[in-house]
Amino acid sequence: MEKTIAHLDLDTFFVSCERLQNSKLNGIPVIIGGGDRGVVASCSYEARYFGVRSAMPIRMALKLCPEAKVIKGDHEQYSKLSNEVTEIIQEKVPLVEKASIDEFYLDLTGMDRFFGCYQWTTEVAESIKKNTGLPISFAVSANKTVAKIGTGEAKPLGRIEIPNREIQPFLNPLSIKKIPMVGNVTFQLLSRIGIRHIKTLAEMPVDVLQQMIGKNGAELWKKANGIDDSPVVPYSERKSLSAEHTFAQDSIDLENMRSIISGMVEQLAFQLRQEKWLTSVVTIKIRYANFDTETKQCRISYTSADHTLLKYALELFKKLYTRRMRLRLIGIRFSGLVHGSHQMDLFEDTEELMNLYQSMDRMKNRFGKTAVGRASGLLIQ
């Protein structure tokens, strides 16, 4: 049986959420992001017209579009609306993958026997619009890659169906940048030898691509040819991430305890970013030598940034550890997770901090998670 996959994407999701709260934002350039030294988390199509893009420094964005309205953003509200959309989809479709806070894949294979897949997806989209007020675009095709590219071409407020026989004619004239796995480095590499459109890429010998860009060459060639066997993974939310450290001997060494907390926070925050989670609840746990166990937690703005999480963790530890008895265990847990497309906290972090974390994460991915870290957390490693 031929697969049928739909990709749904909430148009300029963060901006749309803000416009639900304030209709005065309709029709004007809107930027969601941090302060003057922050970066753009999202922007309206009116701002994009001036060249504003996600992850661009706010200062640069305002130079391009001085009239833009800058809003810090409310990730808790965005998460709430995202969950409402998820519930609507899950009520109507048996197999759903939540790829990020604002995009979904639906496996509609076999549904065309009872009801046209395009019509089915249309009704899902209309239900989302009716119940939440959020605009949404979608594409229906044979696999996830083509459906995602199709949604990008359909935006804003677009709907498109790409049957098997039309996949290659649809893909051929598009820029290779439209392929999800093509970043700036790959684009520049291929552009230098004249490969800028999917048609040219699709016609290249696969072994040549592998020689140029390594093991991903074959996968890139498949995507350029509209081939993608990856399944729709059923949606499930992870509840929490946690770590504990048990002392070899009961301890009262505060400096060592803070270092251990720092190391655990750094490792858990790296895991958050790798799995594309943001956390909103930090919990500290301690166990005294007499086995008395106490915890303290606080709610925070959604983040996956080490420095933010460490600040709250140390504050909680200071409030919790008051008996000055020896400890046998320290633990930390991040919960209240949302699975979003933003690995960094674009609402709080500066461009410099984002670049620092991305560089550190690349080193950890290449050389191991303990390859680089804060000096304050070295004892845990």
Side-chain angles (χ1 to χ4, degrees):
M1 183 182 296
E2 292 183 351
K3 288 202 303 183
T4 304
I5 307 297
H7 177 260
L8 283 69
D9 198 333
L10 295 160
D11 294 332
T12 57
F13 176 54
F14 297 160
V15 174
S16 298
C17 291
E18 295 294 339
R19 285 174 168 172
L20 288 178
Q21 306 296 318
N22 182 3
S23 61
K24 293 181 180 179
L25 298 176
N26 293 339
I28 68 170
V30 177
I31 294 173
I32 310 293
D36 289 342
R37 298 185 66 215
V39 295
V40 177
S42 180
C43 59
S44 66
Y45 286 103
E46 292 85 358
R48 293 183 189 185
Y49 175 81
F50 292 91
V52 179
R53 295 290 182 269
S54 294
M56 176 182 288
I58 293 287
R59 286 175 295 183
M60 182 184 298
L62 287 175
K63 287 181 180 179
L64 295 172
C65 186
E67 303 302 316
K69 173 73 173 178
V70 179
I71 300 172
K72 184 175 182 180
D74 181 355
H75 215 300
E76 188 169 354
Q77 174 66 9
Y78 305 157
S79 178
K80 176 177 176 293
L81 285 166
S82 174
N83 290 336
E84 289 180 15
V85 173
T86 305
E87 290 174 3
I88 292 170
I89 296 173
Q90 287 181 316
E91 287 177 0
K92 298 179 178 296
V93 182
L95 186 51
V96 181
E97 176 181 337
K98 188 171 183 178
S100 73
I101 196 171
D102 58 357
E103 64 175 324
F104 307 81
Y105 290 102
L106 320 181
D107 191 335
L108 304 177
T109 303
M111 288 187 180
D112 53 345
R113 291 180 296 174
F114 312 103
F115 197 71
C117 293
Y118 178 83
Q119 184 60 32
W120 186 293
T121 312
T122 298
E123 293 196 3
V124 172
E126 289 177 351
S127 179
I128 292 168
K129 176 65 176 177
K130 177 182 177 181
N131 288 282
T132 67
L134 294 168
I136 190 166
S137 297
F138 72 78
V140 177
S141 193
N143 58 60
K144 294 168 77 172
T145 294
V146 180
K148 182 175 177 66
I149 294 173
T151 304
E153 293 303 291
K155 286 184 173 185
L157 286 173
R159 301 169 180 180
I160 186 173
E161 183 174 19
I162 310 162
N164 282 359
R165 66 182 180 277
E166 296 178 16
I167 287 177
Q168 210 58 51
F170 166 75
L171 294 175
N172 282 341
L174 301 178
S175 167
I176 58 174
K177 280 187 174 182
K178 301 289 185 178
I179 300 175
M181 67 184 294
V182 176
N184 285 331
V185 174
T186 303
F187 176 74
Q188 295 299 331
L189 175 64
L190 294 174
S191 291
R192 283 198 291 269
I193 60 170
I195 303 175
R196 297 182 178 86
H197 294 92
I198 291 178
K199 183 178 189 297
T200 312
L201 183 60
E203 293 173 348
M204 276 196 71
V206 66
D207 55 336
V208 174
L209 269 178
Q210 286 182 303
Q211 290 175 8
M212 288 182 60
I213 61 178
K215 62 182 180 181
N216 288 329
E219 190 65 25
L220 183 57
W221 181 87
K222 286 182 179 180
K223 291 182 182 298
N225 282 276
I227 302 168
D228 179 8
D229 297 324
S230 59
V232 171
V233 180
Y235 168 71
S236 62
E237 284 288 9
R238 186 165 190 165
K239 301 300 183 182
S240 65
L241 290 175
S242 62
E244 292 184 349
H245 179 87
T246 301
F247 296 103
Q249 294 183 334
D250 297 344
S251 175
I252 200 169
D253 186 340
L254 280 173
E255 183 178 352
N256 183 45
M257 293 174 188
R258 294 190 189 100
S259 177
I260 288 168
I261 291 171
S262 177
M264 288 192 295
V265 166
E266 187 170 351
Q267 291 184 15
L268 288 176
F270 173 64
Q271 187 175 351
L272 284 172
R273 295 193 296 274
Q274 290 301 102
E275 298 181 14
K276 299 184 180 180
W277 294 106
L278 298 171
T279 181
S280 63
V281 180
V282 177
T283 303
I284 287 287
K285 170 184 174 181
I286 59 174
R287 181 168 294 149
Y288 290 98
N290 64 358
F291 285 89
D292 285 351
T293 303
E294 298 178 3
T295 64
K296 186 174 283 289
Q297 70 177 35
C298 66
R299 290 196 66 88
I300 63 174
S301 298
Y302 284 96
T303 187
S304 61
D306 302 17
H307 67 285
T308 303
L309 293 167
L310 181 58
K311 178 184 71 173
Y312 287 108
L314 291 175
E315 287 176 359
L316 286 172
F317 176 70
K318 183 178 180 181
K319 293 176 182 177
L320 184 62
Y321 183 39
T322 58
R323 292 165 64 180
R324 295 300 179 256
M325 290 172 56
R326 292 182 181 274
L327 293 184
R328 62 180 294 110
L329 177 147
I330 295 178
I332 186 165
R333 183 174 74 249
F334 298 149
S335 55
L337 305 181
V338 294
H339 204 172
S341 57
H342 298 282
Q343 296 185 42
M344 301 302 298
D345 182 358
L346 298 181
F347 303 99
E348 297 290 343
D349 296 334
T350 64
E351 181 188 8
E352 293 86 352
L353 275 172
M354 286 187 67
N355 290 335
L356 173 63
Y357 280 126
Q358 289 165 357
S359 297
M360 290 175 65
D361 287 353
R362 282 195 294 269
M363 292 181 67
K364 290 179 180 181
N365 281 324
R366 184 173 181 182
F367 301 109
K369 63 182 181 181
T370 61
V372 62
R374 285 177 169 77
S376 61
L378 290 179
L379 292 180
I380 189 64
Q381 299 174 10

